[in-house]
Amino acid sequence: MSRKPPIRLLILTLFTLTLILLATPTIAGPPPHAQTPWWDVTPEPENPSSHYDSILYSEIAPRLHEIERNSNRVRVDVIGQSAGGRDLYLVTLSAPEAMGRLGRYQAIRKLMLEDPERAQELIATLGDFKVPVFINGSIHGNEYPGVDAAIRLIETLAYEDTPEVRAILDSVILLVNVVQNPDGRVLGTRANANGFDINRDFITQSQPETRATVRVMTGWNPMVILDLHGFVNPMLIEPCTPPHNPNYEYDLYIRWALAEAEAMEAELLAQTGFLAQIPYRDDPLGWDDWPPTYTPMYGMYHGGYGHTLETPYRDERGVDAHYAAVWGALKFVSTNREGMIYDQIEIFRRGFLGLLQQPIPPELLPAYDQYQELMIQEFPAAYVIPPGPPWQTSTHQPARLVDFLRFNDVRVEQATGPFTLDGTTYPAGTYVVWLTQPKRGLANTILDDGLDLSAIPGLYFYSPPSVWSHPYLWGVYVAEMTDPLPLTTRAIGSATPPQGSVEGNTTTYAYYPTSIAAVQATNRLLATGHALFRAPDTFVDGNHTFAPGALIIPADPALVNALVHEDALDLVALDALPAGAVPLRQQHIAAALDPGGRYLLDRLGFPFDVAGAAELNQGASLAGYDLFLNNTVTLDTLNHRGDTAVLDFLAGSGDYLGLGSPGALLADQAGRLTFTTQLVPGNAIIRVDYNPGDGLAAGFLPAGYAFVDETPIFADLGPGVAVAATVDTGPDFLLSGFWPGWQESDAAGQPILIHNPAGDADTTLVGFDITFRGHPEDSARLLANAIYAALD
């Protein structure tokens, strides 16, 4: 029996809830992007399911509007737009009396983070409390049944009045992202209009659909998250097989997630007669929850009991299966919400107080789980992020990382004075991410190095990556504070905006491409007709020695002011334009890139035309292009027309930039460079050494990091091939990830970024993966360096 808190505590708590309520808006979408009402959708050609009469995307908004008009249990918000500009609809559904008090319920959810111990004490006394359950409809656009099941569920709860419906409405605030991938539903594709699998984007958040969902997660901290997919037979209902990510509080999660999965299984059988499989219970390996790229796994960092549901059928039976399984989950929540929410708050309490993680209880631990040692995380006291040089190449990327942390509801503070950590003194204003915070697991999964998993026998990942560290792949220096220092820090809402600088006063200035923002500014200037130059060689000007790859701009005071204060570039005045400086211009680029590559090229500001295998095989010509940029095409993927187009281009004077294994293989097939390769048999973050005397390394520090994913490392280079970067020569070149046998490989010291700068036809090959799902964004600056260097 729970202890009743004293009346003074209740009064104080109600006062706290009022303050939080005043400061906490309910979740609502941005205003509609068009002048017409959101439910007035213009029909367009669509690709519905070929297995049943699935609802069209254009029919969803009018139907939701009708439900909202006729039921006082429903509210519909537009929470954003897809990559293709289509609306995303969030349905909020609960008992009628709850709909006017949504802000109050959100305030109660916020109390879990502000004072989790008090929130636990209040569970038994609040009486009227409802828990949010989040349902995600068809994140893969061609897995149609999830959306139809979500709408059927909304209609049942909006209109019916059975005892089960009343019990659910009295217990739950249902949040339904009705169609998470409108583009894919219209186009009949798994991906969105940008070609991204949104269910692999939750730790990068490059796509607007992902960011809209994250805002719902951070606004509500849903207790249960159900992501509706297809197609696995028997129906698959998570929780997952090992390995489990160590940043989860998995013992608290599995206690309820397994029981809830079995409740879904029972309801599925009762309503449809279909069987289910639960990977955690039924399988040893093969369906893990290791990477936080998936919707339910990301939601677990916000305290959610996350489940992927894979319906077994593509036809109407698939809709029935999803509906039945979700109904089983809602019935389970209505019966068990008090215990479930207590343990959800316990996740936050552990983080808030810095308590140790606990192992899975023996009675819930499958006999085949060999990976318990991976699941207990020892958290540092804090991470320290200096805001700029000399630790950072610029002020842009640390500010971006801090704002990313804040967007994800991770608490970040700034030191009010200088302090010393491990012999290094950091200035006031340095960012400090204390790990004594409710969402320490999410903070750590973003900022941690990751683990070397290479020597663990039998390890298997359903979908890489096994590692994703933002500091190393976003180009941010982060120091780890093992034991807490007596620092005075203050909480912040956002990062200090990036700041530029100017040294000297003249009419010509140099800067380096030290950030994505610097590349974006360069390309914007080129697009608007400004004269820019690139120094292909080292040069000396006054007291400064400039390495190859410096960018040079003749500028008047107004432009200098804009570049420093708006773009936050660091400019150095030159006495004169150096001899040999090469004029820059926008190049005509043909790109055969994966979605991550196209996303990064767009983000950097390079115009390009798509020239992948489909376009080339249909007769697209590369004639007239300056540069062919490729990480998807080899001669094996092309027909005769495609072969001819590519080989004609590569036999001429066009420049070629090849990324990863396909890029290197095509260069070899066309005889552009002489080399041999070994492929990385896995995915990992490795240390690399950049050659500061090579212009491709402009803007990079000599010691850096790169992501490799079954990508090539080069050897046996032919004459004239220059090396811009190598795998680190040390015995610990692997930082983290999964590369079986890396210690025994001869990769240390081998070239991983090579080029042939001689003649008119430049060839550059990048061995590591700089486009993987748009995540290794610091390495993306190599694209800019190689494109600019092609003009030398």
Side-chain angles (χ1 to χ4, degrees):
M1 187 172 185
S2 30
R3 179 174 60 87
K4 181 173 287 189
I7 188 66
R8 184 172 57 183
L9 176 59
L10 286 174
I11 293 172
L12 179 60
T13 299
L14 289 173
F15 177 70
T16 303
L17 287 174
T18 301
L19 291 178
I20 295 172
L21 174 57
L22 291 173
T24 306
T26 58
I27 291 293
H33 57 91
Q35 297 301 312
T36 56
W38 60 264
W39 56 86
D40 187 5
V41 178
T42 302
E44 60 181 314
E46 296 194 36
N47 291 277
S49 171
S50 58
H51 298 272
Y52 72 104
D53 186 19
S54 59
I55 186 171
L56 297 177
Y57 170 75
S58 61
E59 298 170 340
I60 292 173
R63 190 150 164 187
L64 294 178
H65 181 53
E66 180 184 359
I67 298 170
E68 185 181 43
R69 288 176 55 222
N70 292 293
S71 173
N72 59 0
R73 305 170 185 175
V74 172
R75 191 181 82 185
V76 183
D77 291 301
V78 175
I79 57 171
Q81 281 75 44
S82 68
R86 300 176 177 93
D87 283 341
L88 302 165
Y89 308 110
L90 180 73
V91 169
T92 306
L93 193 153
S94 192
E97 63 273 13
M99 297 305 292
R101 299 202 296 264
L102 294 178
R104 176 179 181 272
Y105 292 117
Q106 279 186 280
I108 294 172
R109 303 298 292 175
K110 291 290 185 183
L111 184 64
M112 301 189 314
L113 307 179
E114 301 297 330
D115 192 341
E117 288 189 306
R118 184 188 302 170
Q120 284 179 326
E121 289 179 338
L122 286 172
I123 289 172
T125 63
L126 282 174
D128 173 31
F129 78 94
K130 294 176 172 55
V131 293
V133 173
F134 178 72
I135 296 172
N136 210 35
S138 297
I139 195 169
H140 295 144
N142 58 1
E143 296 171 6
Y144 295 94
V147 169
D148 295 85
I151 292 174
R152 185 192 299 179
L153 179 75
I154 291 166
E155 290 178 328
T156 299
L157 292 172
Y159 297 134
E160 293 188 10
D161 198 32
T162 66
E164 283 188 351
V165 166
R166 288 196 298 272
I168 291 169
L169 294 176
D170 287 343
S171 304
V172 165
I173 297 170
L174 192 66
L175 307 164
V176 186
N177 191 4
V178 179
V179 53
Q180 161 78 338
N181 185 356
D183 300 343
R185 192 167 187 88
V186 170
L187 301 172
T189 59
R190 178 183 177 93
N192 70 356
N194 285 342
F196 268 73
D197 184 334
I198 307 169
N199 202 40
R200 303 294 187 272
D201 189 50
F202 271 85
I203 204 59
T204 303
Q205 296 167 23
S206 66
Q207 301 303 294
E209 300 93 337
T210 316
R211 294 190 293 273
T213 304
V214 168
R215 284 191 289 269
V216 177
M217 296 268 198
T218 58
W220 276 105
N221 299 295
M223 193 185 77
V224 171
I225 297 156
L226 305 175
D227 201 23
L228 308 186
H229 288 255
F231 301 93
V232 177
N233 197 351
M235 185 172 189
L236 186 142
I237 303 174
E238 290 179 346
C240 295
T241 66
H244 309 299
N245 193 278
N247 290 297
Y248 307 137
E249 305 285 339
Y250 210 82
D251 65 306
L252 298 172
Y253 164 79
I254 197 61
R255 179 182 305 168
W256 296 104
L258 181 58
E260 185 171 46
E262 290 176 336
M264 288 189 268
E265 177 186 43
E267 188 70 20
L268 174 72
L269 182 63
Q271 286 197 27
T272 68
F274 304 153
L275 299 177
Q277 54 181 309
I278 300 173
Y280 183 88
R281 182 193 66 190
D282 299 335
D283 300 305
L285 287 173
W287 194 274
D288 64 276
D289 51 18
W290 183 265
T293 55
Y294 311 119
T295 314
M297 279 65 259
Y298 172 80
M300 288 165 65
Y301 292 110
H302 298 285
Y305 304 108
H307 305 263
T308 295
L309 309 182
E310 296 274 351
T311 192
Y313 299 109
R314 297 178 182 272
D315 55 23
E316 193 72 42
R317 293 173 298 170
V319 180
D320 296 340
H322 268 322
Y323 178 89
V326 172
W327 197 256
L330 294 176
K331 288 170 59 177
F332 182 83
V333 170
S334 67
T335 304
N336 296 281
R337 75 185 193 281
E338 187 169 322
M340 295 176 79
I341 196 173
Y342 187 94
D343 279 350
Q344 183 187 25
I345 299 171
E346 180 64 15
I347 294 172
F348 302 139
R349 191 181 81 92
R350 286 182 185 176
F352 193 80
L353 299 177
L355 302 178
L356 296 177
Q357 287 185 329
Q358 299 298 312
I360 295 176
E363 67 273 15
L364 295 176
L365 183 66
Y368 53 73
D369 193 337
Q370 313 165 47
Y371 306 103
Q372 272 289 290
E373 69 279 5
L374 294 179
M375 294 171 52
I376 303 299
Q377 178 74 55
E378 293 185 11
F379 296 98
Y383 290 99
V384 170
I385 308 174
W391 300 276
Q392 317 290 3
T393 58
S394 76
T395 59
H396 292 89
Q397 291 305 98
R400 159 138 166 78
L401 178 56
V402 166
D403 285 337
F404 181 83
L405 289 163
R406 292 297 301 121
F407 181 72
N408 284 272
D409 209 20
V410 173
R411 298 177 180 180
V412 182
E413 303 194 358
Q414 278 185 306
T416 59
F419 65 95
T420 300
L421 171 64
D422 297 333
T424 299
T425 299
Y426 297 99
T430 294
Y431 302 107
V432 180
V433 183
W434 297 106
L435 268 294
T436 46
Q437 62 170 292
K439 296 183 180 179
R440 66 176 178 183
L442 182 54
N444 200 62
T445 206
I446 292 170
L447 296 173
D448 190 22
D449 296 357
L451 299 172
D452 180 3
L453 305 166
S454 307
I456 300 173
L459 198 63
Y460 176 85
F461 296 99
Y462 165 71
S463 178
S466 62
V467 67
W468 48 81
S469 178
H470 291 65
Y472 292 102
L473 298 182
W474 285 15
V476 183
Y477 172 82
V478 173
E480 185 176 306
M481 185 191 300
T482 305
D483 299 310
L485 295 177
L487 302 184
T488 302
T489 57
R490 63 177 183 85
I492 61 170
S494 60
T496 302
Q499 300 175 11
S501 65
V502 59
E503 181 181 336
N505 183 14
T506 182
T507 58
T508 304
Y509 296 84
Y511 63 95
Y512 286 101
T514 53
S515 65
I516 286 178
V519 177
Q520 291 170 333
T522 302
N523 287 333
R524 186 188 71 246
L525 292 166
L526 289 174
T528 53
H530 284 85
L532 284 103
F533 299 84
R534 180 179 182 274
D537 302 307
T538 301
F539 71 95
V540 177
D541 187 285
N543 297 323
H544 293 281
T545 299
F546 294 87
L551 301 172
I552 301 163
I553 181 167
D556 58 31
L559 180 56
V560 169
N561 184 68
L563 293 175
V564 171
H565 293 101
E566 296 175 19
D567 296 296
L569 300 188
D570 295 311
L571 303 180
V572 177
L574 301 179
D575 292 334
L577 186 70
V582 176
L584 290 181
R585 60 174 173 83
Q586 278 194 333
Q587 297 184 70
H588 200 193
I589 300 171
L593 292 175
D594 60 20
R598 297 194 298 271
Y599 162 76
L600 288 171
L601 208 58
D602 263 332
R603 188 170 167 204
L604 292 169
F606 287 102
F608 65 95
D609 295 323
V610 175
E615 290 78 15
L616 293 166
N617 288 339
Q618 290 169 11
S621 172
L622 297 178
Y625 286 96
D626 299 309
L627 172 69
F628 181 43
L629 207 169
N630 170 45
N631 73 349
T632 62
V633 165
T634 67
L635 296 185
D636 307 314
T637 65
L638 301 174
N639 60 21
H640 178 68
R641 285 194 295 183
D643 276 358
T644 300
V646 168
L647 291 175
D648 284 351
F649 179 86
L650 295 177
S653 60
D655 298 315
Y656 177 68
L657 174 52
L659 310 179
S661 296
L665 178 56
L666 182 61
D668 183 53
Q669 290 172 328
R672 288 282 290 217
L673 285 184
T674 301
F675 58 89
T676 60
T677 62
Q678 62 167 310
L679 295 184
V680 175
N683 63 91
I685 299 173
I686 63 170
R687 294 176 171 88
V688 297
D689 296 326
Y690 286 102
N691 176 5
D694 192 300
L696 291 186
F700 289 87
L701 298 174
Y705 299 87
F707 180 69
V708 290
D709 181 33
E710 298 182 353
T711 48
I713 294 169
F714 304 105
D716 304 320
L717 305 182
V721 179
V723 177
T726 60
V727 179
D728 184 74
T729 56
D732 59 346
F733 65 81
L734 185 137
L735 176 73
S736 55
F738 184 64
W739 178 348
W742 69 270
Q743 298 95 332
E744 294 76 40
S745 73
D746 60 354
Q750 292 293 336
I752 197 166
L753 172 58
I754 62 176
H755 62 119
N756 181 1
D760 293 331
D762 288 356
T763 299
T764 300
L765 301 180
V766 184
F768 45 89
D769 194 333
I770 64 178
T771 69
F772 185 83
R773 297 178 185 164
H775 189 69
E777 62 181 48
D778 188 53
S779 301
R781 291 185 289 128
L782 292 170
L783 287 172
N785 286 346
I787 291 169
Y788 298 150
L791 293 169
D792 294 351

